[in-house]
Amino acid sequence: MSSLLSKLIGSLRRKPPELKCKAQVWRDGVGELRRRTLLSTRESGAFLLGVDEGPSKRILEFVFYDDIDPNALASGIVHFDGTKFPRLWEHCRTRGYGVVADVHVHPGSYGQSSSDMANPVIPRAGHYAVILPDFAVRQTKPGGIGMYEYLGDGRWNTRTAEGSKFFKLD
Ligand SMILES: [Zn+2]
């Protein structure tokens, strides 16, 4: 019984991270998000494109909202115009990537706003949303950022506390 239990616990511990990204790709992408806040005066955000890697999803590219929708950051709060999605899908097709997650920067805490919860960027179960606090000038790595999994039907699972067990920079 106890050996079965320790096996179960062992397999839980070995559970691979659901999200992975090369540390350099993450650092560069986050740096660009920080730059696009224009000295912490507005939010910025990006789609995180990538591929399946075994049981994990690997983030390979940031596609910044304002590169596809020039007005996405204009109000100070990120808002991506849904009519611009065909440009994103075209880019994904060219690369052979899918949209794994999205990331946006908050002025303050990394908690989801009511608007973030009500309007998932990609309303598909299994999509992940990452929120960087403090205009991405302080904490930018798993353990200090908000991480959320969309479950569908307006419901979210908060994965923040799992830190690098959920999202590993490698
Ligand atoms: Zn938000």
Side-chain angles (χ1 to χ4, degrees), residues 72-94:
L73 313 182
S75 74
I77 306 285
V78 287
H79 177 77
F80 185 80
D81 174 4
T83 66
K84 305 285 198 272
F85 269 115
R87 293 190 58 190
L88 177 68
W89 306 141
E90 176 62 31
H91 182 80
C92 285
R93 258 195 307 277
T94 307

Side-chain angles (χ1 to χ4, degrees), residues 6 8 18 31 46 49 54-55 59 61 77 92 96 98 100 108 133 140 144 150 161 167:
S6 67
L8 280 171
E18 290 176 38
L49 273 47
I59 295 164
E61 186 185 9
I77 306 285
C92 285
V100 168
T140 56
Y150 190 56
F167 179 17

Side-chain angles (χ1 to χ4, degrees), residues 43 77-78 104-106 111-113 116 131:
E43 296 185 3
I77 306 285
V78 287
H104 74 283
V105 166
H106 270 184
Q112 284 179 303
S113 69
D116 292 337
I131 299 178

Side-chain angles (χ1 to χ4, degrees), residues 1 22 29 33 35 59 61 63 77 83-84 86-87 89 105 107 114 116 119-120 132 146-147 150 162 170:
M1 178 66 187
K22 290 287 177 205
L33 283 173
R35 196 183 68 75
I59 295 164
E61 186 185 9
V63 172
I77 306 285
T83 66
K84 305 285 198 272
R87 293 190 58 190
W89 306 141
V105 166
S114 52
D116 292 337
N119 304 295
L132 306 175
M147 304 188 293
Y150 190 56
E162 294 169 67
D170 56 9

Side-chain angles (χ1 to χ4, degrees), residues 51-170:
V51 294
D52 288 342
E53 188 177 278
S56 309
K57 306 262 186 206
R58 176 168 293 281
I59 295 164
L60 293 166
E61 186 185 9
F62 285 59
V63 172
F64 301 94
Y65 291 159
D66 47 322
D67 284 346
I68 296 192
D69 170 9
N71 295 318
L73 313 182
S75 74
I77 306 285
V78 287
H79 177 77
F80 185 80
D81 174 4
T83 66
K84 305 285 198 272
F85 269 115
R87 293 190 58 190
L88 177 68
W89 306 141
E90 176 62 31
H91 182 80
C92 285
R93 258 195 307 277
T94 307
R95 295 282 212 210
Y97 297 165
V99 179
V100 168
D102 65 81
V103 58
H104 74 283
V105 166
H106 270 184
S109 87
Y110 55 62
Q112 284 179 303
S113 69
S114 52
S115 161
D116 292 337
M117 294 180 82
N119 304 295
V121 173
I122 307 286
R124 183 184 61 218
H127 179 77
Y128 302 112
V130 177
I131 299 178
L132 306 175
D134 306 315
F135 289 114
V137 298
R138 293 187 182 89
Q139 298 270 23
T140 56
K141 291 179 183 166
I145 62 180
M147 304 188 293
Y148 308 91
E149 175 188 8
Y150 190 56
L151 301 176
D153 298 325
R155 293 174 305 124
W156 293 86
N157 188 11
T158 299
R159 311 296 301 268
T160 300
E162 294 169 67
S164 59
K165 287 190 177 67
F166 168 72
F167 179 17
K168 186 162 179 50
L169 299 176
D170 56 9

Side-chain angles (χ1 to χ4, degrees), residues 8-38:
L8 280 171
I9 291 169
S11 71
L12 283 175
R13 284 216 181 101
R14 282 192 300 276
K15 198 165 149 306
E18 290 176 38
L19 270 179
K20 292 180 181 178
C21 185
K22 290 287 177 205
Q24 184 72 52
V25 171
W26 188 251
R27 201 162 37 239
D28 290 351
V30 166
E32 189 59 30
L33 283 173
R34 187 186 306 119
R35 196 183 68 75
R36 291 176 191 231
T37 68
L38 302 182

